[in-house]
Amino acid sequence: MSEPATNLENLVAEAVGTASAASSSALNDDSAVAVNSQLNRPLYQSRIKVQPKLVHGTFRRIKWLVMALTLSVYYVTPFIRWNRGPGMPDQAVLLDFPARRFYFFFLEIWPQEFYYVTGLLILAALGLFLATSVAGRVWCGYTCPQTVWTDLFVFVERLFEGDRSARIRLDKEGWSVGKLARKVGKHAVWLLIAILTGGAWVFYFADAPTLAMQMVTFSAPMTAYIFVGLFTATTYTLGGIAREQVCIYMCPWPRIQGAMFDEESLLVSYKDDRGEKRGPHKKGTSWEGRGDCIDCGQCVAACPMGIDIRDGMQLECIQCALCIDACDEIMDKVGRPRGLIGYDTLNNHDRRKAGEPLRFRIIRPRTIVYAAALLIVAAIMVVALASRETLQLAVLRDRNPLFVTLSDGSIRNGYGIKIINKDTAAHVFHVTIEGLEGARLAGLSADEVNPTEIAIGPDALKNVRFYVSLPKDRLSALDHGLAELNFVVTDETGRHTVRETTFRGPDQ
Amino acid sequence: MSTQKHTDEISGVETTGHEWDGIRELNNPLPKWWIYTFYVCILWSLVYWVIFPAWPYLSSGGWKHTAGSYGYTQRGEVSAELQKVAEGRAVFMKQIDAMPIEDIAKNDSLMEVALAGGKATFADNCAPCHGSGAAGGNGFPNLNDDDWLWGGKLADIQTTLTHGIRWEADADTRQNMMPRFLDDKMLTREQINDVAEYVLSLSNKADDAAAATRGSEVFAANCVSCHGADAKGNQELGAPNLTDAIWLYGGDKATIVTTLSHGRGGVMPAWGARLPGSTIKELALYVHSLGGGK
Ligand code: SF4
Ligand code: SF4
């Protein structure tokens, strides 16, 4: 990939005054106008393809790293195993819809515990707010799947069609075998990535190795193929074709972010106080009376959103920081200090103008509030998870009839009891009552050997009916026809739980 | 809409003329792919009109609508689903039909079906008299308790359900009669009072020991043939146990006197003529499961 470097050389050559006439045509390709400029907007806008140029530097390196990390998390996670004992799925992260369970490493969430997932989502939202108030749209710029996959698709595009200027030239060119081969190759690899993306998604919903085998032998369930197809289509369209259109027109986050950051948030900005007045610079001429921006357009060429950072803060800017790398490269070449484009705050912009020292106020009311909320929710989650019960008991007393008088004059109440065994082993649960002297517990059917011993398998629940009767001579224990009664369930390991309920009889 | 064009000072973009609290909407161009998406949706609606019932029209028979190419209706969808349910149930109903009722009770999966079916049938047919919780009422037995007039075994309940009680149209109906001792001049008012005292004494509620003693003789002469010498009743004859805590019409003295004087004879329909045998079995199993079954 020597071509982009050559182009850059040409640019800098121009800037330092050694440009030849032959190389200046390459420069024209690169010094593009911002695609999404405010000028000349028609009623309906055709999309002009954004052709981001490869840059080298700190932020590009960070972005490659983040891409490698997020993609591996996405593809590898479903294949991580986690031993939960016999009869239980051994997939670390699994959304088991048929069995209505969500497994996340040591966690196993039942549908009625969905608030744990709500808690996770709240944590994610607060984390997003905090990050945005500190450093703007870092989520958008580095970790958003739309950004990561688009970056990956552009990488593939560059492999087949070369860097920005080569791609622009190729698109202008007439059709040839070479062009066709490049285009077909690119789309084929895109499609492959899209299929793999959709394919990985379904692995979160079934046993990944099994499903992977089924997928390749064409014996997987139809829904799996349908979802792979769906996610293939969306990945290909959004990452390969729509790209910046998703961020600009579909995503709500750019609209919300305005409320998240303030004058002290670190935002990728062009320091106009330093850069202006901009203009081409010939080597050897003085930097006096002019700005550092040599108007080379490298920041625009690098921008995946097709905007000009020098127009100021814009809705389209995803804060990917690639223009920082682009400009730093130029500043190095022309021998000016780096950071003409860099992470800056609105207040520092004003402080610089006023000649005051710069200040970075990461800790300020806004970030403190977000951080505190984050910590509180996280603490609640930890406490809730630590005190999660693996044995639960629900007792529902019959209300129709409230009670039944038996022939010997005793009073009987019926109870529906639900025992939930969230343990990964089977247990035998012993049901007893306490709190009402003389009351007798009986199972539904008389011929059952031991109706108060209930065997429940791992990770399962059972509904059982019980009758409690109070002899006639003990009816005085009722106060206004009411007495308190506790159901106690104990398993063979001593794990036990108590649920309060009432016993009803005639109001005498 | 304002007639005057307004251009936003900062962005240089024309505004739509909509203004809220000084905030104006910029008239930025819509991306073309968006408008194409809109056209595709319009095209899709045309397809929808053809495939699904869509357009109303007036014909000689009143308002009609286009049927759509597959003749789809929601009603049709529901009846197809009901049909499927019935087919699914038929497998179990056949087994329930063929099996003796005691064996069904021992089969967990059949029991599940039977209890669910019995519950629904009970709500439709029995709840009006016995109550939705089967707790009964004055003259209508509580089916939750352990006291049975005609027997609380599965087979007894099945027979009662099939043939009813004092249901004239059924030759095998359960038949008995509490005589009208006063109306038919079989006993005097005093004798009735004495017997009532005696019956109360069986559950230690008598006030007048002398009357109760006199009543015991009247009881021996008139009542033991049905209720038995120990007054514990006889399920063969449908005669209630007079010593327990459960009274169909009430266990106070006035009610007992009324019962003795004018007789009793409640009626239960013979469901065998109205419900299939398998449904009756389900119903019997359900009633038996309410807690009092023997
Ligand atoms: S302006 Fe800079 S930070 Fe913003 S999207 Fe473009 S390259 Fe990224
Ligand atoms: S800001 Fe930097 S990269 Fe952009 S035109 Fe000026 S010198 Fe070039």
Side-chain angles (χ1 to χ4, degrees):
Chain A
M1 287 248 249
S2 60
E3 198 188 4
T6 321
N7 280 334
L8 193 63
E9 288 309 318
N10 290 336
L11 268 165
V12 178
E14 163 85 4
V16 297
T18 56
S20 68
S23 63
S24 62
S25 68
L27 170 67
N28 287 341
D29 278 353
D30 267 355
S31 59
V33 201
V35 160
N36 289 318
S37 138
Q38 298 161 355
L39 303 167
N40 305 323
R41 297 196 188 196
L43 186 54
Y44 294 112
Q45 200 168 34
S46 300
R47 174 173 178 242
I48 302 166
K49 189 167 183 199
V50 179
Q51 300 277 22
K53 182 175 151 86
L54 178 65
V55 295
H56 305 274
T58 318
F59 293 102
R60 182 63 268 183
R61 265 199 298 280
I62 294 174
K63 275 173 68 73
W64 287 135
L65 259 167
V66 172
M67 182 198 280
L69 203 73
T70 47
L71 287 178
S72 359
V73 166
Y74 177 69
Y75 285 109
V76 172
T77 305
F79 291 93
I80 302 174
R81 301 290 102 185
W82 190 268
N83 188 12
R84 295 192 180 83
M88 301 285 285
D90 64 347
Q91 186 157 323
V93 178
L94 178 66
L95 270 150
D96 191 347
F97 277 116
R100 294 182 179 78
R101 294 284 183 284
F102 173 42
Y103 301 97
F104 188 83
F105 295 92
F106 60 93
L107 260 184
E108 184 201 332
I109 293 177
W110 290 46
Q112 62 265 43
E113 296 174 313
F114 207 72
Y115 44 80
Y116 288 125
V117 178
T118 311
L120 282 178
L121 291 177
I122 292 174
L123 280 183
L126 287 172
L128 197 55
F129 297 168
L130 178 62
T132 307
S133 65
V134 171
R137 293 169 67 181
V138 274
W139 162 261
C140 298
Y142 297 89
T143 40
C144 175
Q146 175 62 26
T147 301
V148 171
W149 260 271
T150 301
D151 222 12
L152 180 64
F153 276 53
V154 173
F155 170 76
V156 171
E157 192 166 54
R158 199 179 294 126
L159 283 185
F160 282 93
E161 301 180 4
D163 205 3
R164 176 182 159 89
S165 46
R167 292 204 299 272
I168 293 175
R169 227 179 298 127
L170 187 72
D171 281 355
K172 277 200 195 122
E173 238 166 53
W175 282 96
S176 66
V177 179
K179 180 171 176 177
L180 192 69
R182 281 166 195 275
K183 292 275 175 193
V184 169
K186 175 183 82 173
H187 285 282
V189 175
W190 277 3
L191 213 54
L192 189 72
I193 295 173
I195 291 171
L196 290 177
T197 307
W201 181 260
V202 296
F203 290 154
Y204 285 85
F205 298 85
D207 185 58
T210 317
L211 184 60
M213 263 324 279
Q214 289 175 333
M215 299 283 290
V216 293
T217 55
F218 295 101
S219 56
M222 200 54 211
T223 38
Y225 291 112
I226 290 175
F227 274 100
V228 171
L230 191 68
F231 288 111
T232 302
T234 48
T235 309
Y236 179 81
T237 316
L238 301 186
I241 296 167
R243 292 185 185 175
E244 82 288 347
Q245 300 285 309
V246 176
C247 308
I248 300 174
Y249 296 109
M250 300 182 201
C251 180
W253 182 231
R255 276 85 187 157
I256 301 168
Q257 52 148 352
M260 298 291 148
F261 54 62
D262 56 15
E263 298 78 11
E264 297 288 356
S265 302
L266 285 163
L267 304 174
V268 177
S269 339
Y270 166 71
K271 291 164 190 156
D272 59 348
D273 51 295
R274 186 186 139 190
E276 302 297 323
K277 175 130 196 244
R278 68 177 87 148
H281 178 260
K282 290 242 182 286
K283 190 185 184 181
T285 53
S286 162
W287 289 93
E288 282 302 314
R290 56 156 294 150
D292 281 350
C293 175
I294 62 166
D295 209 5
C296 61
Q298 286 305 293
C299 50
V300 178
C303 178
M305 301 303 293
I307 56 168
D308 187 341
I309 185 76
R310 294 172 301 171
D311 289 347
M313 200 198 284
Q314 288 153 82
L315 174 102
E316 289 89 342
C317 176
I318 57 167
Q319 306 262 306
C320 66
L322 290 178
C323 51
I324 300 183
D325 279 348
C327 190
D328 279 352
E329 233 173 317
I330 299 300
M331 290 298 111
D332 287 353
K333 297 267 160 142
V334 299
R336 300 298 294 173
R338 288 179 163 210
L340 174 53
I341 302 176
Y343 276 101
D344 196 18
T345 71
L346 290 173
N347 275 351
N348 274 350
H349 178 265
D350 295 346
R351 287 187 193 117
R352 249 195 329 270
K353 268 197 169 159
E356 291 168 17
L358 300 187
R359 286 175 60 204
F360 291 98
R361 294 182 57 223
I362 305 278
I363 300 167
R364 53 185 196 275
R366 183 180 293 241
T367 55
I368 292 170
V369 168
Y370 285 142
L374 194 72
L375 283 176
I376 290 169
V377 176
I380 292 173
M381 289 277 288
V382 167
V383 170
L385 280 175
S387 56
R388 181 177 181 269
E389 290 175 337
T390 51
L391 166 60
Q392 284 180 334
L393 174 63
V395 176
L396 195 65
R397 193 171 55 73
D398 288 358
R399 281 171 173 74
N400 182 14
L402 273 178
F403 59 87
V404 174
T405 307
L406 297 181
S407 52
D408 62 359
S410 59
I411 298 295
R412 192 189 71 199
N413 280 203
Y415 297 86
I417 292 187
K418 184 192 280 182
I419 303 172
I420 306 175
N421 176 24
K422 288 183 181 170
D423 198 28
T424 50
H427 291 288
V428 176
F429 296 90
H430 182 61
V431 182
T432 50
I433 48 168
E434 62 179 29
L436 184 57
E437 208 188 310
R440 281 195 315 267
L441 181 72
L444 175 60
S445 94
D447 51 35
E448 225 171 281
V449 188
N450 203 346
T452 58
E453 300 283 325
I454 294 147
I456 305 180
D459 195 38
L461 56 84
K462 215 172 215 177
N463 286 303
V464 247
R465 274 186 68 72
F466 278 106
Y467 289 111
V468 174
S469 49
L470 193 63
K472 193 178 177 182
D473 55 357
R474 285 288 306 146
L475 291 188
S476 54
L478 300 181
D479 176 24
H480 286 92
L482 197 68
E484 273 169 17
L485 177 72
N486 291 339
F487 270 86
V488 184
V489 167
T490 318
D491 75 0
E492 77 285 355
T493 65
R495 206 160 48 119
H496 86 294
T497 186
V498 180
R499 185 68 65 232
E500 287 173 14
T501 182
T502 53
F503 183 91
R504 272 191 177 273
D507 185 1
Q508 293 162 334
Chain B
M1 282 278 263
S2 122
T3 45
Q4 243 176 351
K5 296 254 183 227
H6 175 269
T7 303
D8 179 60
E9 299 78 25
I10 296 168
S11 62
V13 175
E14 203 176 281
T15 65
T16 57
H18 304 158
E19 186 181 334
W20 299 269
D21 298 339
I23 300 172
R24 290 190 161 94
E25 189 188 3
L26 299 186
N27 193 10
N28 274 316
L30 199 62
K32 271 209 181 110
W33 59 263
W34 199 294
I35 199 90
Y36 292 144
T37 311
F38 178 56
Y39 292 151
V40 168
C41 290
I42 294 175
L43 280 178
W44 169 245
S45 73
L46 296 179
V47 176
Y48 199 93
W49 288 346
V50 176
I51 293 177
F52 287 100
W55 284 96
Y57 63 86
L58 197 56
S59 80
S60 55
W63 281 101
K64 295 253 168 60
H65 61 77
T66 54
S69 55
Y70 294 106
Y72 170 86
T73 61
Q74 287 185 337
R75 191 184 292 268
E77 199 177 341
V78 170
S79 47
E81 270 168 25
L82 288 178
Q83 176 76 26
K84 237 192 216 155
V85 172
E87 278 164 19
R89 276 179 56 89
V91 183
F92 295 105
M93 294 312 273
K94 249 189 224 142
Q95 279 176 277
I96 289 177
D97 221 13
M99 235 186 239
I101 194 161
E102 287 79 9
D103 293 354
I104 302 172
K106 286 179 202 133
N107 183 322
D108 277 349
S109 62
L110 277 186
M111 253 322 247
E112 208 176 306
V113 176
L115 290 185
K119 187 174 184 178
T121 315
F122 186 90
D124 285 348
N125 299 283
C126 317
C129 291
H130 290 284
S132 58
N138 195 351
F140 301 101
N142 183 342
L143 304 176
N144 294 284
D145 65 30
D146 57 347
D147 188 33
W148 298 88
L149 291 168
W150 296 94
K153 292 200 170 62
L154 279 170
D156 298 333
I157 300 173
Q158 192 185 358
T159 307
T160 306
L161 278 162
T162 311
H163 300 294
I165 298 165
R166 304 179 195 97
W167 189 253
E168 284 172 10
D170 191 304
D172 297 324
T173 193
R174 295 203 187 268
Q175 193 59 265
N176 73 0
M177 183 61 74
M178 171 75 189
R180 311 187 300 166
F181 286 102
L182 182 70
D183 297 351
D184 293 341
K185 303 203 167 49
M186 296 160 76
L187 295 174
T188 65
R189 282 183 194 279
E190 290 68 36
Q191 285 174 311
I192 286 176
N193 176 64
D194 293 349
V195 178
E197 281 294 334
Y198 172 70
V199 169
L200 283 171
S201 76
L202 296 172
S203 35
N204 300 323
K205 287 194 288 190
D207 298 324
D208 186 342
T213 314
R214 286 196 303 275
S216 73
E217 283 160 28
V218 183
F219 189 88
N222 294 277
C223 313
V224 291
S225 57
C226 291
H227 290 284
D230 56 1
K232 290 220 157 101
N234 184 344
Q235 292 184 346
E236 298 279 307
L237 304 170
N241 182 344
L242 303 178
T243 65
D244 67 14
I246 293 172
W247 299 87
L248 183 54
Y249 294 93
D252 57 306
K253 184 165 177 193
T255 310
I256 294 173
V257 166
T258 306
T259 304
L260 282 160
S261 304
H262 310 299
R264 297 287 184 188
V267 170
M268 161 153 160
W271 291 97
R274 301 196 202 178
L275 300 173
S278 50
T279 307
I280 298 244
K281 276 186 188 165
E282 288 187 337
L283 209 42
L285 287 161
Y286 172 71
V287 169
H288 187 264
S289 79
L290 290 172
K294 296 282 175 183

